[in-house]
Every structure is written in C-alpha cells, then in structure tokens.
Amino acid sequence: MRVLVIGSGAREHALLLALRNDPKVDHVVIAPGNAGTAAVAEQRDIDITSAPAVTALARDVEADLVVIGPEVPLVLGVADAVRAAGIACFGPSQDAARIEGSKAFAKDVMAAAGVRTARSEIVDSPADLDAALTRFGPDAGEAAWVVKDDGLAAGKGVVVTADRAAARAHAAGLLDSGHPVLLESFLDGPELSLFCIVDGATVVPLLPAQDFKRVGDGDSGPNTGGMGAYAPLPWLSREAAAGIVTDVVEPVAAELLRRGSRFTGLLYAGLAMTSTGPAVVEFNCRFGDPETQAVLALLESPLGQLLHAAATGGLSEFGALRWRDAAAVTVVLAAENYPGRPRVGDVIVGAEADGVLHAGTARRDDGAVVSAGGRVLSVVGVGDDLNAARADAYRILDSIRLPGSHFRSDIGAAAAEGKIQI
Ligand code: GLY
C-alpha cells in the first residue's frame, strides 16, 4: 500500500512512523513535511489547502490512501476532492468537518444526539459583550469565564480566567479583529481526549489521553496548541471510557449520518469528567496534537490497514485493536517566546535521536536542522508505567539543545502520583 500523508507537524511525523511499521505499507509520502519527516518519507512541497494540488499529488505518487492530518484542508473540502478522484481518503468531508469548523453546527448536532456539552453563546458585536459576560463565569456562579475564538484557532484563541477584565479584554480583542467570540460555561473536572476511528455509525476508540494546553508548569500562563500529553489514563476505568463511546461518540456519529453528513476519519472528543458525568468541551475532526504522538507509540495494530479500512467501508470487520501494555508520554519543546511570536532559525542539537518527532523544523542549506516554528519538537517516552514513560521522555529531552527553548516539566506528573480523581 502507498500512503500520502498531508501535514507538517509532530502528529504527522508520528503517523508516518506508525504507518511504516505496518507490513502492508510499502511507501509513504508526506506533503509538505519538515526536517524530521524528510528522513522517513518521500517529501513533496505543495499547497495542502488546495484540493486540486493534493489530488494531483495523490495521483502522481499513485497513493492507495491519503491521510489528511490538519483541520484546515478538511474544513476546505480537500477530502471530498480526493475521494471524487477515486482515491481512498482518511478524513471527513467538508460537510462533516463542520463538527470542528462550526461551533454552531457542533452544538446543534450534540443537542440532537442528546450529548452533554457546555452552555454557550456567540457574541458578534461589542455592544452585546458586557451583558453576555454577566451570564457566564463568576458572575453566573461558575469558576471562570471561558472565552474562545469562534473559528479555527489551533487552541490559541482560548482564555480561561476568573478575572472579568482579562476575559473582557480577550473577547474585545477578538471582536476588534473581526472574529466572533464564543462564551462557554466552565466545566469542572479533569479533561481527556478520546480519539475514535469512525466510518458512518462504526466507532473504534483509541486509548484515551490527556493533553496539557497551558504553557507553564502547574497549568500556568497562556493557552498553546499543546505542550505535552500522556496515554493511557490510569484514573479512567475501561467502563468509563466505554461509556464515553456509547453515550457521546456513537450518538454523534449516528446523528451526523442521519443528517447526511457521514463522518469518515478521526472523530476527536475533548471532554471534561465533571462531577455529574462526562461533558463535551469540543469535537475535532482530526487526530489531536500532541496526544497522537503518545497514543500511536502504544498501538500494535497495523495503522495503514486500520485507516484504509475506515476509508473504504471495512471498519466494522477490522476487529479489536491491540495495544502495548505500557504508558507513553510526549513533551513538547517550544521555541523562545512561544506561544507569542517564536524565535526561529536556531540550530537544534540532538534532533535526530530516537523518540524525537519534528514539528517546526527545517533543514538549512548547510545541512543543519533549525527551528522554524513555535512548537519545535515532540519527545516521546515509553515505559512500563507513567513514571517510567516520564523518565524516558525527560531523558531524551535532556540530550537536546535549542537556545531559548522551553518545555513543561510536569507532563503526566499528577496522574503518575495518583492525584487525579473523578
Ligand atoms: N490537543 C489539542 C488539539 O489537537 O487541538
């Protein structure tokens, strides 16, 4: 099988490594990729938001399967074009990708499917902002205001704060730059990400994971695209995970099918385990980053065959997935000043080590690997348990040098110490 992967992050690097482990995959191509993915796949540079460009590349490389990593091409309908060209594609249609691309659509689907989610309001005029803020956060008896960019913002458009002035300033800034604002009620309880391979009504869950969105230790500082993750979750029972599949993901997949928006791809449920049960924070229409790096490190089933089965209507016959009886931790190494405007162009030492996945990297003409984005590398550690996986990840990180870089030192720590309880 020949597989074309679309994207350029550590998530795509992880997908490539897992695909290469599948004995039925004999060639992998990535577009546009980065300095790390170039070492493990044929690399092509195209505009991945262009449906004709992706389709032409898929034909050119004779792909049997196209796997689309990021949400932007999916929301723009690139998967539809690939399928229309007669090539199997793992990724939802433009219509189904609205589960991530349109908050209003997602809320409507969840309401129809009877799935619990945060109460929300969209504010699109500064004149309505103050009154709307009083209906949320501490003004409404909740712990904090949750202020989001009502569009694709890669996690960085979110502010969660108990300070009304800070909530107002973020919302006003978004409105000033022409972005509608989503206010949501605050969901208490630990958050988790459950990724499910979906085709129509068939839902195959991967291991549950947890990511870390704030930039600093102890969940301090601003939100980012994700600073680390671990899987599986020692604090979530198998029964609780199975309950999320039956009570949340399957009803949403069925509702999408009922509306004629069949979902084929990765349906990502972001949830909070509140004191009154699981509630959805958001759905995404693609693999999450950095959880994917931890989850795929534990997958033993052949990923290429799994994604191909989903893309071609064979998912219900695929059978149960096999997993390593182990834990995985991924820690993101970020460039100086990230999540603000990152410093780029610095030489990275140690980026080729085992367990190092590349995100914002490029290769200079002289052969050096340099930083080229905010999140630069993802380091993945694996061990018999979470403590061992943490030790492995931080050992690898210790061998890497990037001037001004930073990372969180507490990824998976609370769970390893048994401090997370539902
Ligand atoms: N883990 C956050 C995201 O992928 O959106």
Side-chain angles (χ1 to χ4, degrees):
M1 188 187 338
R2 297 171 64 85
V3 186
L4 167 62
V5 175
I6 299 297
S8 61
R11 166 184 59 195
E12 285 75 23
H13 197 169
L15 284 164
L16 289 174
L17 295 183
L19 286 164
R20 279 168 43 121
N21 275 341
D22 182 333
K24 291 222 171 123
V25 173
D26 36 45
H27 191 66
V28 281
V29 182
I30 174 112
N34 56 45
T37 58
V40 294
E42 178 186 341
Q43 194 136 309
R44 297 291 193 93
D45 192 11
I46 58 159
D47 173 6
I48 62 166
T49 63
S50 159
V54 173
T55 307
L57 177 60
R59 281 208 184 94
D60 188 38
V61 302
E62 298 177 26
D64 301 297
L65 174 67
V66 177
V67 179
I68 300 181
E71 60 276 21
V72 172
L74 293 166
V75 167
L76 292 173
V78 170
D80 304 77
V82 172
R83 273 192 280 272
I87 303 167
C89 185
F90 184 81
S93 65
Q94 180 170 34
D95 204 34
R98 287 182 296 160
I99 197 76
E100 175 165 0
S102 162
K103 302 269 180 349
F105 177 78
K107 294 280 180 193
D108 198 47
V109 168
M110 283 188 268
V115 166
R116 284 185 67 217
T117 182
R119 180 175 63 85
S120 70
E121 268 183 52
I122 292 175
V123 182
D124 47 21
S125 154
D128 299 334
L129 181 58
D130 286 308
L133 282 168
T134 60
R135 293 191 283 275
F136 291 87
D139 287 3
E142 296 168 356
W145 281 275
V146 180
V147 182
K148 296 185 176 177
D149 185 340
D150 185 39
L152 297 177
K156 288 189 277 181
V158 185
V159 162
V160 181
T161 176
D163 176 354
R164 185 181 166 116
R168 192 184 189 289
H170 182 59
L174 289 169
L175 289 169
D176 276 354
S177 49
H179 293 231
V181 167
L182 186 81
L183 297 180
E184 279 187 351
S185 58
F186 180 80
L187 297 171
D188 63 340
E191 290 191 9
L192 68 100
S193 304
L194 187 66
F195 299 166
C196 296
I197 309 285
V198 172
D199 181 36
T202 308
V203 174
V204 176
L206 306 186
L207 289 180
Q210 187 178 51
D211 70 345
F212 292 74
K213 297 189 171 75
R214 303 276 190 153
V215 72
D217 279 2
D219 291 331
S220 58
N223 264 54
T224 68
M227 293 299 291
Y230 66 95
L233 306 178
W235 48 268
L236 189 78
S237 67
R238 274 172 199 265
E239 295 70 35
I244 294 169
V245 174
T246 51
D247 299 345
V248 175
V249 185
E250 286 179 349
V252 163
E255 174 61 19
L256 289 169
L257 191 59
R258 194 190 65 75
R259 293 176 178 221
S261 304
R262 180 190 191 95
F263 193 99
T264 299
L266 194 292
L267 190 52
Y268 164 155
L271 304 121
M273 294 304 284
T274 73
S275 45
T276 48
V280 173
V281 177
E282 63 183 4
F283 271 103
N284 292 319
C285 67
R286 37 83 197 170
F287 282 97
D289 187 340
E291 301 96 307
T292 298
Q293 293 88 301
V295 170
L296 291 185
L298 302 174
L299 181 69
E300 284 184 343
S301 298
L303 183 69
Q305 292 167 61
L306 174 63
L307 303 187
H308 190 263
T312 55
L315 188 59
S316 56
E317 286 100 62
F318 192 81
L321 299 186
R322 286 177 285 106
W323 297 96
R324 271 178 78 169
D325 184 14
V329 169
T330 183
V331 182
V332 169
L333 184 73
E336 181 174 328
N337 203 38
Y338 177 80
R341 189 188 172 91
R343 164 175 158 177
V344 295
D346 288 303
V347 174
I348 310 165
V349 176
E352 273 97 4
D354 277 354
V356 178
L357 301 172
H358 287 222
T361 67
R363 195 169 289 277
R364 238 174 26 193
D365 289 347
D366 65 1
V369 176
V370 295
S371 56
R375 290 189 296 165
V376 181
L377 302 172
S378 263
V379 164
V380 183
V382 176
D384 287 345
D385 60 20
L386 208 40
N387 276 315
R390 271 174 49 75
D392 194 38
Y394 286 107
R395 176 190 58 75
I396 300 167
L397 206 48
D398 211 32
S399 66
I400 298 170
R401 297 283 170 270
L402 172 62
S405 62
H406 58 99
F407 59 86
R408 278 183 67 158
S409 68
D410 63 348
I411 303 301
E417 290 163 18
K419 287 189 181 150
I420 302 186
Q421 267 150 21
I422 301 172

